């Protein structure tokens, strides 16, 4: 609760990810993001930087019969953090090991035309991805920062 009391709840973060097949199922979804959050108190010069990295196994739930697919992902994530305080010369830094599960969907925008034979490489689709996720922290009793969270994401997928 200390993080929410000091820095507030809810914020936007920019991220990047890659999804690659390992076997026919599942695929691996690797994602990283970064966010710098100032203190809620305008008189404080503190800030918290968070950088979650996740590596999830992801399964497609439905067989895409058109322009959309549903997916479910689960796996480990690592929450890196650094809190900078004006009267501490050294920031408080660390990493919390967490687990994440997510459920979402991808919708083909139709903005990319299918490639004609014999050009198998290149961009095949531009998709809108929307998901909800839950990150759970496993590090025993709540010491220090508790960085579990409910998350939502909206992004663009370049399918090659």
């Amino acid at each position: 609760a200390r993080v929410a009391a000091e820095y507030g709840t809810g914020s936007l973060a920019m991220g990047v990810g890659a999804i690659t097949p390992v076997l026919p199922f599942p695929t691996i979804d690797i994602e990283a993001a970064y966010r710098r959050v100032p203190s809620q108190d305008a008189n404080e010069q503190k800030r918290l930087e968070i950088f979650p990295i996740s590596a999830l196994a992801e399964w497609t739930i439905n067989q895409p019969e058109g322009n959309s697919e549903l997916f479910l992902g689960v796996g480990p994530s690592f929450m890196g953090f650094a809190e900078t305080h004006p009267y501490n010369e050294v920031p408080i830094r660390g990493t919390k090991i967490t687990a994440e599960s997510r459920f979402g969907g991808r919708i083909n925008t139709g903005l990319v035309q299918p490639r004609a034979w014999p050009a198998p490489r290149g961009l095949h689709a531009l998709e809108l991805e929307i998901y909800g996720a839950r990150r759970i922290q496993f590090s025993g009793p709540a010491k220090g920062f508790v960085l579990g969270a409910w998350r939502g994401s909206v992004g663009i997928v370049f399918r090659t």
Side-chain angles (χ1 to χ4, degrees), residues 37-70:
V37 185
S39 175
Q40 293 268 73
D41 185 351
N43 296 325
E44 292 279 343
Q45 296 292 318
K46 297 195 295 188
R47 74 171 185 258
L48 177 67
E49 295 174 272
I50 56 173
F51 32 97
I53 300 170
S54 61
L56 309 181
E58 188 177 280
W59 292 268
T60 301
I61 296 171
N62 65 327
Q63 295 299 323
E65 295 178 6
N67 292 328
S68 66
E69 69 180 15
L70 296 175

Side-chain angles (χ1 to χ4, degrees), residues 127-141:
E127 300 173 339
L128 176 65
E129 178 181 84
I130 301 171
Y131 69 76
R134 176 70 174 141
R135 185 173 48 234
I136 302 169
Q137 185 172 311
F138 287 117
S139 57

Side-chain angles (χ1 to χ4, degrees), residues 77-92:
S77 60
F78 305 92
M79 281 295 299
F81 64 89
E83 183 181 45
T84 306
H85 210 284
Y87 40 82
N88 275 358
E89 289 184 23
V90 179
I92 299 168

